[in-house]
Amino acid sequence: MNRTYNSRGFTVIEVIIVLAIASMIFLIVFLVVPKLQSNSRDYERKHYSDFLLTQLEEYKNDHGGQYPKTADDACDFLAHYTVQSGSVSSCTGYFSGSDPVTVDTKYYSVAFFNNDIPHDYIGPVDEIDMAMSHWCNTDPAKFSEDPTHKITNGNAWPFDNLFDTFVIWTKLEGHTDVYCIDNYSRAD
């Protein structure tokens, strides 16, 4: 009984090539995809922050050129101008630096501080913060502040009314960076 089999196995090179391709696929799935998802969530945070800035201007137009100044105004703004379709909101707070007026939208917690908030306060991811009489700190040395401070507490220059200045900021996921926008362009 002399049998011959004509079956051929995989060579070592073929096995190594298959393992290398599988490793690249795993690398993409486990490293690149989560980063893309994080970037997408950061984009949404930035987009919603921009939406809030637009809604502040809408509020101002609807209220005789005035931005929210009191807890009731802030609550009115948050409850009627920031809620997206399908969102449930409840407005709470006393409009002090330690107890902002807040509303929970479908995706974010929005906190509206008065001008007493420390300019180095950075809330958690998925909290979007707003404060009057503050602006984004784009040049810390110019204001003699620590470079880690992202928000500048206002003074009278160059504004006549500090209630006309607003800042909106949110912490970005997986970064130490903060996305910060304000309602004016400051001339250097």
Side-chain angles (χ1 to χ4, degrees), residues 63-84:
H63 291 85
Q66 298 294 312
Y67 289 110
K69 291 183 179 181
T70 67
D72 289 339
D73 292 347
C75 200
D76 177 49
F77 169 74
L78 292 173
H80 296 102
Y81 288 81
T82 66
V83 178
Q84 295 176 331

Side-chain angles (χ1 to χ4, degrees), residues 4-184:
T4 59
Y5 291 96
N6 193 7
S7 66
R8 180 177 172 241
F10 293 108
T11 65
V12 173
I13 298 295
E14 291 170 330
V15 170
I16 290 173
I17 290 172
V18 168
L19 289 175
I21 292 171
S23 297
M24 290 194 324
I25 291 171
F26 285 125
L27 181 69
I28 290 171
V29 169
F30 291 111
L31 294 179
V32 175
V33 171
K35 181 66 175 165
L36 290 174
Q37 291 171 330
S38 174
N39 288 343
S40 176
R41 289 187 296 266
D42 281 345
Y43 173 80
E44 289 299 321
R45 287 179 191 93
K46 291 175 182 180
H47 179 72
Y48 193 72
S49 297
D50 293 340
F51 166 76
L52 289 176
L53 187 62
T54 301
Q55 292 305 98
L56 270 173
E57 294 304 319
E58 185 72 25
Y59 180 94
K60 180 181 175 183
N61 291 336
D62 292 348
H63 291 85
Q66 298 294 312
Y67 289 110
K69 291 183 179 181
T70 67
D72 289 339
D73 292 347
C75 200
D76 177 49
F77 169 74
L78 292 173
H80 296 102
Y81 288 81
T82 66
V83 178
Q84 295 176 331
S85 178
S87 297
V88 176
S89 66
S90 64
C91 198
T92 60
Y94 300 101
F95 209 46
S96 68
S98 61
D99 190 14
V101 174
T102 61
V103 65
D104 289 325
T105 68
K106 188 173 182 180
Y107 302 105
Y108 303 105
S109 173
V110 180
F112 196 120
F113 295 88
N114 70 0
N115 60 345
D116 293 334
I117 185 172
H119 58 278
D120 59 349
Y121 171 79
I122 303 298
V125 171
D126 290 333
E127 176 180 288
I128 297 177
D129 300 302
M130 307 171 69
M132 65 179 125
S133 73
H134 290 66
W135 56 81
C136 298
N137 186 2
T138 57
D139 186 2
K142 186 172 183 177
F143 297 98
S144 302
E145 294 179 346
D146 187 303
T148 60
H149 294 178
K150 306 296 182 186
I151 311 303
T152 297
N153 191 358
N155 57 30
W157 178 87
F159 310 101
D160 295 329
N161 183 356
L162 290 180
F163 288 104
D164 288 341
T165 62
F166 279 92
V167 66
I168 299 169
W169 72 96
T170 185
K171 184 177 181 180
L172 299 179
E173 195 172 319
H175 302 283
T176 57
D177 291 339
V178 172
Y179 179 68
C180 184
I181 55 174
D182 49 37
N183 68 333
Y184 69 95

